[in-house]
Amino acid sequence: MARDIRYHRVYDSSPEDGFRVLVDRVWPRGLRKDDAHLDAWLRDIAPSTELRRWYGHDPARYAEFRRRYLAELRDPDHRAAWRELDELARRGRVTLLTATRDVEHSQAAVLAERLSRGGRAAT
């Protein structure tokens, strides 16, 4: 059975979102926690601060960011968060949320792609 994984900006809410998971390490600017409508915040699934700063949301660096991020997902600090996210995806629709403007070049896009394939954080 195919998994129903979606992703978009945390500021955009939809009744079709299913289980909403914030996948950013830092809280989104200008968003009150009461207004977020989150079901979970998995900080530990987010890229490391060092990787995030190196990437700087530069689309020209996306391929290398993706490669490095998938490598990070294999480390012990990310494994527990990955297992939790994978389990949520097995149960039903999950929407990954990020504050990033360019969601197509974000960790949410990388995670959605990997989750849609059915599990393992990186191969």
Side-chain angles (χ1 to χ4, degrees):
M1 184 169 129
R3 292 177 172 195
D4 189 356
I5 311 298
R6 300 169 184 212
Y7 59 97
H8 60 75
R9 293 193 77 208
V10 68
Y11 307 102
D12 304 325
S13 180
S14 169
E16 293 86 32
D17 280 349
F19 198 88
R20 294 171 47 90
V21 181
L22 180 63
V23 294
D24 289 349
R25 186 166 303 281
V26 297
W27 187 257
R29 185 175 290 175
L31 183 64
R32 290 177 10 147
K33 290 188 179 182
D34 293 344
D35 296 334
H37 308 291
L38 297 178
D39 296 300
W41 179 14
L42 292 179
R43 290 181 189 131
D44 292 337
I45 199 76
S48 66
T49 300
E50 296 78 20
L51 179 57
R52 185 174 47 86
R53 286 182 179 156
W54 171 84
Y55 176 44
H57 300 288
D58 178 356
R61 290 183 169 184
Y62 181 72
E64 180 62 14
F65 165 76
R66 181 183 175 281
R67 187 192 70 72
R68 291 181 187 190
Y69 183 42
L70 288 172
E72 277 191 357
L73 289 174
R74 290 190 297 258
D75 72 34
D77 293 336
H78 286 84
R79 269 192 225 143
W82 174 262
R83 283 192 298 271
E84 185 176 349
L85 188 57
D86 185 51
E87 181 58 35
L88 291 169
R90 291 172 197 252
R91 294 184 201 156
R93 178 176 295 156
V94 171
T95 299
L96 307 174
L97 304 169
T98 181
T100 305
R101 286 189 181 121
D102 183 1
V103 295
E104 296 303 319
H105 296 101
S106 71
Q107 73 271 13
V110 174
L111 291 169
E113 173 195 352
R114 191 57 58 174
L115 284 168
S116 294
R117 290 185 180 174
R120 291 180 39 179
T123 54

